[in-house]
């Protein structure tokens, strides 16, 4: 009897000991407010504080609990872990190419939503809208007009310097005026390959067809007028780089600080750079202009860009219909509610892609982009780049920037890359 | 009660080892087998479907030049780092077991780099290489601008090795210190009386008795070097020109950035096999000659 009792006790102790670690593992999550809960994944690091703040006020005002998460991982890598553990975010902010990769399996069709007609930047696949555009971002040459105006003695009008010849003359004038190196060049592979080299494809008459030809090995880049003209312009930026001697170890923060404070006048970039520039003693007298080129195809009058960062709403069984409808309400709030509109424009200083959001963009780079966007002067970004493009060709572009490869060699490398690249065409 | 019955022995075994075994199965064995399965699919990491492609990923991995380049680089990095880490660690351990004043302070000091995470450490050193050293060089040379070590392929590799040695040496030093302390002083004294000089005593008496420490340290530093990712990411990020991408980083990029999950997983498996073979061979050879006092 006694024996049986101790055995039972011992058994109980063993069970308890083996169950305890499991309860530790399971101890995460779970909550108890009766409200619907939705989770939002934010992949734009610079607005994480604003997102968290918004989640608090939004949850207080509405009958829903919003939680915001951020990860510095690649968007796809992070989401892959969430999908694998069957804990998807209700709403996830992803890049354009992720919408194409994820939508069919993981996102709901949002075509019936009211906001679809208020933007031309939403992403639709097979006629169904999946991606809700968060902002408009566009690329070009960022300028700080202060140092320029000091030298030329009149107000700086970027449209006067749309051709490379005019731009070169201006650079020469700036150098004479005492700015020994008027430009900065970001060495980051995404800036060089995804953004600058990207324009070579995007400014072709038909980017998708051009990439098909590259893939088939039918393009001789060195003879291609777009490649030539953009690389000619790049050479000017490169030759006048303040960090020309060590271009490859120039830090982005340093370059942007010099630009913000007017030590240099030009840098290739986009309105997202404001998040870095505003950390310094910046000038308000800045803006984004198209990359100057000697061309007559009007691409030197337009910025390149469009919708950037998209919300998708999860379609899996792990998300309930209540959560999905709360998520859709949240998207509507961003588009139609005065607070939502102000959140995008004033709190996050993003350029809204929705026509009914007429709030004034406060930061000068965003204001430039908005101007070009409103005037229909944006060349759309090409969103179907292979995933390794920026990394592989970024390395080649860095060699070119460091002077370790000439233009012919660079062109060869690009052609070689595309021949073996895994390409996805827009209609696939 | 019969203690030799199979059911009893099984019960005993599951009572003591069961929970640990279950956890090990759940977090190591099963994921490993699942990972093995994924190498036979062309999964991209996010889709619902996982198309079966047989050995296709292994063929792709074999043909992936960037992978073999990164693996070759990893071997070079590992060989140099392992040698330097162990030489430095041994020297430090020797220095701090000689009865110096404040030797515990030195031990703690040398160990501290190991307490800073690899990511933080990488960023700190990046600042040192990119700003501090460059400013110092410029101040000393008078000739204007001077470029960072991190901007050339060989320089970046040098930086990786330097920082790794700095980080790991303190940890390995602790193992060597334990080794030194476990050697019976009377044996050393006996050898000195027998006519050895200090160097001979070290080489013929102390080092052979510390063989276990060497085996452990070399094993630990080898596997750590082959799998290094954090320092690689924060210090060089593969730059310049992807010339400092080590194997683990290439595998990560392949699987998650380029979205070839299956290929990345296959490459990870090859990396695992390389590590396992080197690690086991080295422990086997090391253990064989171990001496007991």
């Amino acid at each position: 009897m006694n024996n049986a009792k101790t055995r039972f006790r011992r058994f109980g102790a063993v069970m308890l000991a083996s169950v305890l670690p499991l309860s530790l593992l399971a101890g995460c999550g779970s909550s108890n407010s009766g409200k619907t809960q939705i989770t939002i994944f934010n992949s734009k690091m610079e607005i994480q504080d604003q997102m968290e703040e918004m989640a608090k006020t939004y949850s207080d005002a509405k009958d829903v609990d919003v939680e915001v998460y951020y990860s510095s991982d690649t968007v796809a890598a992070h989401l892959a872990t969430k999908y694998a553990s069957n804990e998807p975010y209700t709403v996830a902010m992803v890049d354009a190419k992720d919408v194409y990769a994820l939508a069919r399996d993981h996102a709901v069709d949002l075509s019936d939503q009211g906001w679809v007609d208020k933007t031309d930047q939403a992403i639709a696949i097979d006629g169904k809208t999946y991606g809700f555009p968060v902002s408009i971002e566009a690329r070009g040459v960022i300028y700080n007009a202060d140092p320029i105006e000091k030298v030329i003695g009149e107000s700086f009008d970027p449209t006067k310097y749309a051709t490379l010849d005019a731009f070169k003359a201006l650079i020469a004038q700036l150098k004479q005026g005492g700015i020994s190196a008027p430009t900065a060049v970001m060495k980051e592979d995404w800036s060089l390959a995804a953004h600058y080299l990207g324009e070579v494809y995007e400014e072709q008459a038909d980017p998708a067809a051009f990439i098909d030809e590259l893939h088939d090995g039918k393009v001789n880049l060195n003879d291609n007028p777009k490649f030539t003209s953009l690389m000619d312009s790049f050479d000017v930026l490169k030759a006048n780089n303040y960090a020309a001697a060590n271009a490859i170890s120039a830090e982005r923060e340093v370059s942007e600080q010099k630009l913000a404070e007017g030590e240099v006048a030009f840098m290739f970039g986009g309105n997202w750079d404001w998040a870095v520039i505003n950390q310094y003693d910046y000038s308000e007298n800045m803006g984004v202009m198209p990359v100057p080129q000697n061309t007559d195809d009007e691409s030197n009058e337009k910025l390149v860009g469009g919708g950037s960062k998209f919300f998708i709403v999860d379609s899996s069984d792990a998300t309930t219909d209540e959560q999905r409808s709360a998520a859709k309400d949240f998207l509507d709030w961003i588009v139609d509610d005065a607070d939502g509109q102000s959140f995008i424009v004033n709190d996050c200083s993003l350029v809204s892609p929705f026509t009914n959001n007429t709030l004034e963009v406060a930061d000068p780079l965003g204001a430039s982009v908005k101007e070009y966007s409103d005037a229909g002067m944006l060349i759309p970004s090409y969103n179907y780049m292979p995933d390794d493009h920026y990394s592989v060709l970024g390395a080649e572009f860095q060699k070119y920037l460091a002077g370790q490869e000439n233009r012919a060699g660079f062109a060869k490398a690009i052609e070689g890359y595309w021949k073996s690249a895994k390409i996805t065409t827009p209609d696939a | 009660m019969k203690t030799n019955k199979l059911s009893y022995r099984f019960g005993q075994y599951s009572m003591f080892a069961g929970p640990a075994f279950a956890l090990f199965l759940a977090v190591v064995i099963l994921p490993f087998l699942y990972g093995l399965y994924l190498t036979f699919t062309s999964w991209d990491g996010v889709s619902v479907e996982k198309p079966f492609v047989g050995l296709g990923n292994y063929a792709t991995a074999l043909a992936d030049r960037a992978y073999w380049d990164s693996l070759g680089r990893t071997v070079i990095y590992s060989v140099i780092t392992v040698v330097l880490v162990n030489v430095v660690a041994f020297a430090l351990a020797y220095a701090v077991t000689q009865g110096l004043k404040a030797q515990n302070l030195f031990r703690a000091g040398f160990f501290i780099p190991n307490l800073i995470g690899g990511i933080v450490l990488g960023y700190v050193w990046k600042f040192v290489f990119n700003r501090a050293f460059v400013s110092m060089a410029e101040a000393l040379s008078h000739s204007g601008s001077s470029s960072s070590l991190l901007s050339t392929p060989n320089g970046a590799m040098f930086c990786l090795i330097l920082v790794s040695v700095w980080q790991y040496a303190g940890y390995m030093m602790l193992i060597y210190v334990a080794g030194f302390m476990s050697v019976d002083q009377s044996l050393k004294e006996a050898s000195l009386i027998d006519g050895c000089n200090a160097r001979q005593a070290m080489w013929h008496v102390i080092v052979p008795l510390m063989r276990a420490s060497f085996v452990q340290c070399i094993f630990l530093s080898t596997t750590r070097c082959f799998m290094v990712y954090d320092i690689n990411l924060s210090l060089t990020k593969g730059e310049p020109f992807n010339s400092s991408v080590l194997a683990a980083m290439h595998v990560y990029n392949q699987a998650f950035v380029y979205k070839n999950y299956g290929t990345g997983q296959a490459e990870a498996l090859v990396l695992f096999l390389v590590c396992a073979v080197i690690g086991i061979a080295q422990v086997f050879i090391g253990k064989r000659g171990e001496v007991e006092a």
Side-chain angles (χ1 to χ4, degrees):
Chain A
M1 191 63 193
N2 201 12
N3 194 16
K5 210 170 173 185
T6 48
R7 263 176 67 188
F8 181 72
R9 265 206 207 130
R10 214 187 278 156
F11 179 72
V14 169
M15 285 308 289
L16 201 63
S18 42
V19 167
L20 265 176
L22 292 181
S23 70
L24 268 179
L25 289 176
C28 333
S30 83
S31 90
N32 32 26
S33 77
K35 290 172 159 188
T36 311
Q37 287 199 314
I38 63 170
T39 50
I40 300 178
F41 173 61
N42 167 38
S43 57
K44 229 175 153 39
M45 180 256 289
E46 57 270 25
I47 61 166
Q48 178 61 11
D49 290 344
Q50 292 92 316
M51 289 289 284
E52 281 172 7
E53 192 61 33
M54 177 276 295
K56 236 180 270 158
T57 51
Y58 189 84
S59 302
D60 288 343
K62 315 265 170 173
D63 193 29
V64 60
D65 252 350
V66 180
E67 272 189 68
V68 177
Y69 298 86
Y70 169 74
S71 159
S72 60
D73 262 349
T74 326
V75 174
H78 179 70
L79 292 184
T81 63
K82 300 303 278 187
Y83 290 132
S85 59
N86 202 23
E87 284 178 342
Y89 296 107
T90 321
V91 183
M93 185 198 287
V94 301
D95 294 312
K97 64 179 164 61
D98 300 312
V99 179
Y100 294 100
L102 299 171
R104 280 195 194 85
D105 286 342
H106 298 287
V108 293
D109 178 6
L110 298 169
S111 310
D112 58 345
Q113 298 294 299
W115 48 261
V116 173
D117 297 331
K118 297 173 188 159
T119 179
D120 47 11
Q121 301 294 346
I123 292 188
I125 303 169
D126 300 336
K128 293 178 194 159
T129 303
Y130 290 102
F132 172 100
V134 179
S135 68
I136 287 185
E137 292 185 327
R139 296 165 249 157
V141 171
I142 307 174
Y143 58 85
N144 183 340
D146 284 346
I148 306 172
E149 287 170 358
K150 216 174 278 168
V151 173
I152 61 177
E154 54 174 38
S155 81
F156 174 65
D157 174 9
T159 56
K160 281 196 202 160
Y161 305 97
T163 64
L164 185 60
D165 293 336
F167 186 71
K168 266 185 186 160
L170 175 64
I171 293 273
Q173 198 182 349
L174 291 179
K175 285 172 116 168
Q176 244 167 14
I179 308 175
S180 57
T183 70
V185 179
M186 249 194 269
K187 57 101 203 211
E188 270 70 15
D189 50 7
W190 49 265
S191 176
L192 292 172
H195 292 168
Y196 199 92
L197 183 59
E199 297 202 355
V200 173
Y201 318 127
E202 284 149 342
E203 293 185 1
Q204 305 286 342
D206 180 351
F210 180 70
I211 282 179
D212 274 339
E213 282 174 35
L214 271 170
H215 184 56
D216 297 340
K218 283 190 276 190
V219 179
N220 183 350
L221 267 183
N222 253 326
D223 294 342
N224 186 280
K226 277 301 11 162
F227 181 74
T228 312
S229 104
L230 277 163
M231 291 311 287
D232 284 347
S233 306
F234 186 81
D235 285 346
V236 173
L237 294 174
K238 176 183 148 186
N240 296 288
N241 181 4
Y242 78 93
N246 43 10
I248 222 64
S249 58
E251 283 176 48
R252 180 181 179 194
E253 286 73 20
V254 179
S255 302
E256 304 229 17
Q257 180 179 15
K258 287 186 188 288
L259 180 67
E261 295 170 0
E263 256 186 79
V264 302
F266 298 104
M267 184 185 85
F268 177 75
N271 53 318
W272 54 86
D273 283 306
W274 189 250
V276 184
I277 289 174
N278 71 11
Q279 305 295 308
Y280 303 103
D281 186 16
Y282 60 83
S283 154
E284 285 286 347
N285 201 1
M286 298 178 76
V288 187
M289 64 189 264
V291 176
Q293 288 177 70
N294 284 336
T295 176
D296 48 14
D297 65 0
E298 293 177 358
S299 60
N300 58 352
E301 295 165 18
K302 296 175 179 174
L303 299 182
V304 180
S308 125
K309 295 292 181 188
F310 296 82
F311 280 131
I312 55 173
V313 178
D314 183 63
S315 65
S316 75
D317 295 337
T319 304
T320 63
D321 284 340
E322 287 80 50
Q323 287 176 308
R324 268 190 276 272
S325 87
K328 288 175 182 171
D329 290 345
F330 170 70
L331 299 184
D332 283 337
W333 177 80
I334 292 179
V335 179
D336 294 324
D337 193 289
D339 289 339
Q341 294 186 346
S342 156
F343 167 70
I344 291 290
V345 178
N346 296 330
D347 297 347
C348 302
S349 41
L350 299 175
V351 180
S352 172
F354 292 94
T355 47
N356 63 329
N357 189 338
T358 51
L359 294 174
E360 202 70 42
V361 183
D363 84 74
L365 304 190
S368 286
V369 169
K370 175 99 178 144
E371 216 172 278
Y372 280 91
S373 163
D374 288 349
M377 300 292 262
L378 288 186
I379 299 171
S381 341
Y382 186 73
N383 290 329
Y384 310 90
M385 227 75 101
D387 291 304
D388 58 352
H389 174 272
Y390 84 94
S391 167
V392 175
L393 290 183
E396 297 297 331
F397 212 144
Q398 286 175 342
K399 281 185 198 163
Y400 182 78
L401 176 62
Q404 299 200 351
E405 190 160 53
N406 59 21
R407 197 187 291 184
F410 182 38
K412 270 253 136 36
I414 299 172
E415 289 163 12
Y417 165 79
W418 280 106
K419 272 178 217 162
S420 60
K422 225 173 48 176
I423 62 166
T424 45
T425 44
D427 304 310
Chain B
M1 192 186 291
K2 287 202 177 107
T3 54
N4 56 354
K5 261 172 53 184
L6 188 66
S7 63
Y8 176 79
R9 275 161 53 194
F10 180 74
Q12 289 279 298
Y13 179 80
S14 24
M15 191 161 87
F16 288 109
F21 179 75
L23 278 179
F24 186 70
L25 193 75
V27 302
V28 178
I29 303 293
L30 289 179
F32 183 82
L33 292 177
Y34 183 59
L36 196 63
Y37 158 70
L38 288 178
T39 64
F40 300 115
T41 68
S42 65
W43 194 40
D44 61 0
V46 288
S47 328
V48 175
E49 282 162 40
K50 305 184 177 74
F52 191 80
V53 294
L55 290 172
N57 285 320
Y58 291 92
T60 318
L62 279 179
D64 184 358
R65 276 215 47 181
Y67 174 63
W68 295 104
D69 286 350
S70 71
L71 201 60
R73 230 173 270 138
T74 309
V75 171
I76 296 171
Y77 160 83
S78 300
V79 168
I80 301 178
T81 308
V82 167
V83 170
L84 287 179
V85 162
N86 286 285
V87 168
V88 171
F90 186 79
L92 290 178
Y94 181 73
V96 298
T97 47
Q98 296 308 298
L100 291 172
K101 254 188 203 164
Q103 66 179 9
N104 282 332
L105 187 75
F106 283 116
R107 285 183 196 178
F110 292 133
F111 184 70
I112 279 177
N114 199 63
L115 296 177
I116 312 171
I119 292 283
V120 177
L121 207 129
Y123 283 122
V124 170
W125 275 96
K126 188 178 187 168
F127 177 83
V128 173
F129 286 125
N130 273 349
R131 308 262 184 106
F133 282 178
V134 169
S135 303
M136 274 157 63
E138 280 172 4
L140 289 173
S141 72
H142 308 290
S143 66
S145 74
S146 163
S147 69
S148 158
L149 268 177
L150 285 171
S151 63
T152 60
N154 287 337
M157 183 59 104
F158 171 80
C159 294
L160 276 177
I161 292 172
L162 184 78
V163 175
S164 309
V165 171
W166 188 74
Q167 185 190 15
Y168 295 149
Y171 186 74
M172 302 305 158
M173 174 197 75
L174 280 197
I175 299 177
Y176 284 124
V177 166
F180 269 115
M181 309 236 282
S182 70
V183 174
D184 196 337
Q185 282 300 308
S186 61
L187 291 169
K188 186 185 169 192
E189 282 160 18
S191 71
L192 292 176
I193 291 168
D194 285 346
C196 283
N197 60 27
R199 184 180 301 167
Q200 285 166 326
M202 167 70 83
W203 191 245
H204 294 292
V205 178
I206 298 177
V207 168
L209 286 170
M210 284 176 64
R211 192 157 177 137
S213 308
F214 280 99
V215 172
Q216 261 180 42
C217 284
I218 295 175
F219 177 77
L220 281 177
S221 48
T222 313
T223 45
R224 278 194 181 193
C225 284
F226 266 93
M227 298 295 190
V228 69
Y229 179 71
D230 46 6
I231 291 185
N232 196 190
L233 180 73
S234 56
L235 185 64
T236 71
K237 218 177 160 196
E239 289 171 355
F241 333 130
N242 287 349
S243 68
S244 66
V245 176
L246 298 179
M249 180 180 259
H250 180 82
V251 166
Y252 177 88
N253 286 345
Q254 185 69 269
F256 294 110
V257 182
Y258 309 160
K259 296 208 195 94
N260 300 318
Y261 196 92
T263 311
Q265 184 73 18
E267 290 175 351
L269 196 78
V270 174
L271 178 64
F272 164 75
L273 289 178
V274 171
C275 286
V277 167
I278 294 176
I280 291 170
Q282 179 254 320
V283 169
F284 184 73
I285 295 168
K287 283 271 179 200
R288 208 168 45 185
E290 217 163 89
V291 225
E292 304 249 336

